[in-house]
Amino acid sequence: MRLRFKLKTVFILYFTVSLLGLIYALMHLGQHCECSEHDMTKDRTISRLLGKLHSLQGHTKKEPTKPHLPTIYVITPTYARLVQKAELTRLSQTFLHVPQLHWIVVEDSSQRTDLVSHFLEHSGLVFTHLHIPTPQDRKLQEGDPNWLKPRGVEQRNEGLRWLRENIWAGETAEGVVYFADDDNTYSLQLFEEMRWTQRVSVWPVGLVGGMRYEGPVVEQGRVVRFHTGWRPSRPFPLDMAGFATSLRLVLRNPEARFDGNSPMGFVESSFLQGLVTMEELEPKAEMCTKVLVWHTRTEKPKMKREEALQAQGLGSDSKVEV
Amino acid sequence: MRLRFKLKTVFILYFTVSLLGLIYALMHLGQHCECSEHDMTKDRTISRLLGKLHSLQGHTKKEPTKPHLPTIYVITPTYARLVQKAELTRLSQTFLHVPQLHWIVVEDSSQRTDLVSHFLEHSGLVFTHLHIPTPQDRKLQEGDPNWLKPRGVEQRNEGLRWLRENIWAGETAEGVVYFADDDNTYSLQLFEEMRWTQRVSVWPVGLVGGMRYEGPVVEQGRVVRFHTGWRPSRPFPLDMAGFATSLRLVLRNPEARFDGNSPMGFVESSFLQGLVTMEELEPKAEMCTKVLVWHTRTEKPKMKREEALQAQGLGSDSKVEV
């Protein structure tokens, strides 16, 4: 009897302990440890990093992956000259840093050139390649001072036309239009300042109009006048690089364009006048106290030695693209 | 007797089964399910993405995370003038795309300026900020043609001195030294061409020396002569932007420097002569048939209106940095 009692006790004890152990083990197996939580955190981390990478790489020509960021449509008139490829190269390196940017390049030409076509294809940017020639009587002649005739008017208007024909003008059209000449210098911060423009936003431009900088003067959050060295009474004494227009405003005002017949210095006003009043302007760049864009100009390279060598049949190989 | 027999059997059976079950459960608990494998894959993915991001962003001033890529040490002399900030801005936007780049900026100044200090701190690049003034008799005077005196000599030599004092000259010193003026234009491909330089690599430069481009002429993989518009008999008729030197060569030849007293056009030769022969040059850019860098120059902005306004006390606010 004693032996039976002992065995039964051992059995009951073992049974109880092992049952508890089994329940414990089953509970932990069912939880899959805690790796599902780690998993989600890591998935989110990977998503975030991929998003950043794509925007930094200006990945491919397909539509960018961040639909909630307004698109910056940059319209750049360009024309063939010795420094063109260099200018486009360094400009593209700026734009590659800017997320959700669509570059509209408009050649002053009766057809797309190989140089610009190949360049854009390899730029890594989302782009549209247009072309329209400037009428002969509007072109600057050799020896003309560069301010004599406004440049790029037809090309900017062509950019506007493309936007109006190709971007849907619905309520959700979110974006901003910026006219960026190919020889200026742009900080990256500038693009984030302009991105959320509601109508027309403005900021100072460095090294323009014979001044250290030109720009709006802001008091109590509103533009009250303009700091400029020339004809401050112009409706909008701004440089082309000193403002951006919301896409919605551009699409809703299909007649707004640049007038190539405007008096000197009034081209910007010819576009803005119908769109906005001075009081409605949105001042950026810390209430227009910071310079985030410079009106740099590139020297025309001298070709004296090239011409001398070419006369001897020893010039640079014309098949080498410069 | 029968009961005892049955109990013993049940007990033995239960003991065996539960023991097996316990062993199984313990094995799986020890493995932490399979999430450790997923974990490692995701960790590797995150590592890889972070590495890519860092190299794209030129992230922070800490040592870059890709030790197997040779470092490109870019030495840039710079001096204060109206377009300086614009030039440095667009140049930094180029460099931000280049992995494993260390920018050595040398001011022509007796002290570090605030403009350049703040600029570099916010550039996002790995940098070293040096300064050394050009002696007065070596400075260009107002009205001097820009080719009259070689510019940036002391500053480049100062950059070389810093490298020799701060980079360990051991067998594993892997890197390349490139002298990049702050107004040229550089394609991103150029930096990948130069990165693996063994001694001195060379390539064409666009828009320099009065030519469409200047550069080495390559036959059967070797440089045989130079295409240039001026004094082709110079030891190395190259522009500063047209060559790069391996770090090892620079460190092993501590006496190699630029000679500011060289005749015009011989500054590059004064550095290269002691380092390499023409036959040893490594031709890049598809055997020197592509232009990947341009000797662009920026116009000096006119300040007539600024001066006129300042005379009336209405000039641009000097606290605004341009």
Side-chain angles (χ1 to χ4, degrees):
Chain A
M1 281 289 266
R2 235 197 223 149
L3 196 59
R4 216 188 317 151
F5 174 69
K6 262 196 186 164
L7 194 63
K8 200 170 167 184
T9 316
V10 169
F11 178 58
I12 290 168
L13 275 173
Y14 180 77
F15 177 76
T16 314
V17 170
S18 61
L19 195 65
L20 291 169
L22 192 65
I23 291 167
Y24 171 84
L26 283 171
M27 277 171 59
H28 278 264
L29 275 175
Q31 269 187 9
H32 258 287
C33 359
E34 291 151 347
C35 70
S36 55
E37 259 195 30
H38 277 173
D39 235 38
M40 275 177 55
T41 310
K42 291 188 184 186
D43 281 339
R44 277 198 298 268
T45 303
I46 290 176
S47 256
R48 184 173 51 81
L49 291 175
L50 280 170
K52 264 190 179 175
L53 251 183
H54 282 150
S55 62
L56 278 178
Q57 288 168 335
H59 213 60
T60 79
K61 300 191 214 65
K62 73 181 198 305
E63 275 320 289
T65 48
K66 286 191 132 190
H68 56 280
L69 260 191
T71 301
I72 301 176
Y73 295 92
V74 179
I75 297 178
T76 296
T78 186
Y79 65 105
R81 74 277 196 200
L82 285 164
V83 299
Q84 180 186 38
K85 191 177 180 185
E87 302 282 45
L88 293 176
T89 296
R90 55 185 170 186
L91 193 54
S92 72
Q93 291 165 1
T94 301
F95 294 158
L96 280 168
H97 291 294
V98 184
Q100 204 71 14
L101 181 145
H102 184 136
W103 196 15
I104 301 171
V105 177
V106 194
E107 294 197 70
D108 182 350
S109 172
S110 51
Q111 59 203 25
R112 286 181 186 83
T113 62
D114 286 345
L115 186 148
V116 177
S117 300
H118 295 150
F119 171 80
L120 286 173
E121 277 159 26
H122 294 101
S123 65
L125 292 163
V126 174
F127 70 89
T128 295
H129 184 186
L130 308 172
H131 62 94
I132 186 167
T134 305
Q136 201 54 37
D137 57 345
R138 290 234 185 112
K139 274 185 185 280
L140 284 174
Q141 303 305 320
E142 190 80 26
D144 279 350
N146 63 67
W147 44 259
L148 191 64
K149 292 172 189 167
R151 202 175 232 172
V153 170
E154 282 78 11
Q155 288 75 36
R156 292 187 195 96
N157 286 337
E158 173 66 3
L160 289 170
R161 180 204 64 73
W162 184 90
L163 279 174
R164 287 163 176 149
E165 283 186 23
N166 290 276
I167 307 294
W168 179 58
E171 278 310 312
T172 54
E174 265 207 323
V176 64
V177 182
Y178 183 53
F179 300 97
D181 289 349
D182 66 7
D183 57 351
N184 290 337
T185 303
Y186 309 89
S187 70
L188 300 183
Q189 194 188 335
L190 177 73
F191 298 99
E192 300 320 310
E193 295 278 317
M194 73 175 69
R195 197 183 285 280
W196 306 95
T197 302
Q198 298 299 304
R199 287 196 180 85
V200 175
S201 54
V202 289
W203 48 78
V205 177
L207 310 175
V208 69
M211 304 282 286
R212 280 185 78 247
Y213 67 86
E214 273 193 346
V217 177
V218 176
E219 286 171 12
Q220 291 173 333
R222 291 261 165 252
V223 176
V224 293
R225 61 183 178 280
F226 297 91
H227 171 71
T228 171
W230 194 77
R231 290 214 198 166
S233 56
R234 288 175 282 161
F236 292 96
L238 294 165
D239 182 76
M240 197 65 70
F243 68 92
T245 318
S246 78
L247 178 63
R248 200 175 295 129
L249 202 65
V250 166
L251 298 180
R252 286 183 182 167
N253 294 275
E255 71 297 341
R257 63 189 60 241
F258 294 95
D259 179 3
N261 292 319
S262 335
M264 193 179 94
F266 283 76
V267 173
E268 291 84 358
S269 300
S270 71
F271 174 70
L272 291 170
Q273 259 182 301
L275 292 179
V276 74
T277 67
M278 184 179 74
E279 292 69 33
E280 290 171 330
L281 293 174
E282 298 146 53
K284 303 290 180 181
E286 289 181 42
M287 295 298 163
C288 296
T289 59
K290 301 289 177 209
V291 171
L292 302 177
V293 56
W294 299 262
H295 195 273
T296 43
R297 291 181 47 81
T298 305
E299 281 185 12
K300 182 178 174 178
K302 296 179 178 55
M303 286 291 122
K304 282 189 178 166
R305 303 215 172 265
E306 182 70 53
E307 288 155 10
L309 280 188
Q310 277 186 9
Q312 306 167 43
L314 296 169
S316 298
D317 185 350
S318 57
K319 290 195 298 303
V320 173
E321 189 181 81
V322 177
Chain B
M1 279 289 268
R2 240 200 222 146
L3 197 59
R4 213 188 318 151
F5 174 70
K6 264 197 186 166
L7 194 64
K8 198 169 167 188
T9 317
V10 168
F11 177 57
I12 289 170
L13 275 172
Y14 179 75
F15 179 76
T16 313
V17 169
S18 61
L19 194 66
L20 290 168
L22 191 68
I23 291 167
Y24 171 84
L26 284 170
M27 275 170 62
H28 277 264
L29 276 174
Q31 268 187 10
H32 262 288
C33 4
E34 292 151 348
C35 73
S36 56
E37 257 192 32
H38 277 172
D39 237 36
M40 276 176 56
T41 309
K42 291 189 184 187
D43 281 339
R44 276 198 298 268
T45 304
I46 290 176
S47 257
R48 184 173 53 81
L49 290 174
L50 280 170
K52 263 190 178 174
L53 251 183
H54 283 154
S55 63
L56 278 177
Q57 289 170 335
H59 208 58
T60 79
K61 301 187 214 68
K62 74 178 196 308
E63 275 319 290
T65 48
K66 284 191 133 188
H68 56 280
L69 261 192
T71 301
I72 301 177
Y73 293 92
V74 179
I75 297 178
T76 296
T78 187
Y79 65 103
R81 74 277 196 200
L82 286 165
V83 298
Q84 181 185 37
K85 191 177 180 185
E87 303 283 47
L88 293 176
T89 296
R90 55 185 171 186
L91 193 53
S92 72
Q93 291 164 2
T94 301
F95 294 158
L96 279 168
H97 291 293
V98 183
Q100 204 71 14
L101 181 146
H102 185 135
W103 197 15
I104 301 171
V105 177
V106 194
E107 294 199 69
D108 182 351
S109 172
S110 53
Q111 59 204 24
R112 287 181 185 85
T113 62
D114 285 346
L115 186 147
V116 176
S117 300
H118 295 149
F119 171 80
L120 287 173
E121 276 159 26
H122 294 100
S123 65
L125 291 163
V126 174
F127 69 89
T128 293
H129 183 186
L130 308 173
H131 62 94
I132 186 167
T134 303
Q136 200 55 36
D137 58 345
R138 290 233 185 114
K139 274 186 186 278
L140 285 174
Q141 304 306 319
E142 190 79 28
D144 280 348
N146 65 65
W147 46 259
L148 191 65
K149 294 173 189 165
R151 202 175 232 170
V153 169
E154 282 77 12
Q155 288 74 37
R156 293 188 195 96
N157 285 338
E158 174 67 2
L160 290 170
R161 180 205 62 75
W162 184 90
L163 279 173
R164 287 162 175 150
E165 283 186 23
N166 289 276
I167 306 294
W168 178 58
E171 279 308 312
T172 53
E174 265 206 324
V176 64
V177 182
Y178 183 52
F179 299 98
D181 289 351
D182 66 7
D183 56 352
N184 290 337
T185 302
Y186 309 90
S187 70
L188 299 184
Q189 194 188 335
L190 177 73
F191 298 99
E192 299 320 311
E193 295 278 319
M194 74 173 70
R195 196 183 286 279
W196 306 94
T197 301
Q198 296 301 304
R199 288 194 179 86
V200 176
S201 54
V202 289
W203 48 79
V205 176
L207 311 175
V208 69
M211 304 281 287
R212 279 186 77 247
Y213 67 86
E214 272 192 346
V217 176
V218 176
E219 285 171 13
Q220 293 173 334
R222 290 264 163 250
V223 176
V224 294
R225 62 182 176 281
F226 296 91
H227 170 71
T228 171
W230 194 75
R231 290 216 198 164
S233 56
R234 290 175 282 161
F236 292 96
L238 294 166
D239 182 76
M240 197 66 69
F243 68 92
T245 318
S246 76
L247 178 64
R248 200 174 296 129
L249 202 65
V250 166
L251 299 181
R252 286 182 182 168
N253 293 276
E255 71 297 340
R257 61 188 64 240
F258 294 96
D259 180 3
N261 292 320
S262 335
M264 193 178 92
F266 284 76
V267 174
E268 292 83 358
S269 301
S270 71
F271 174 70
L272 290 170
Q273 259 182 299
L275 290 180
V276 74
T277 67
M278 184 178 75
E279 292 71 31
E280 290 171 329
L281 293 175
E282 298 146 54
K284 304 290 180 182
E286 288 180 42
M287 295 299 162
C288 296
T289 60
K290 301 290 177 210
V291 171
L292 302 176
V293 56
W294 299 262
H295 195 273
T296 43
R297 291 182 45 83
T298 305
E299 281 185 13
K300 181 177 174 178
K302 296 180 177 55
M303 286 291 123
K304 284 191 176 164
R305 303 216 173 263
E306 183 68 52
E307 288 155 12
L309 279 189
Q310 277 185 11
Q312 306 168 43
L314 297 168
S316 299
D317 184 349
S318 57
K319 289 194 300 299
V320 173
E321 190 181 79
V322 176

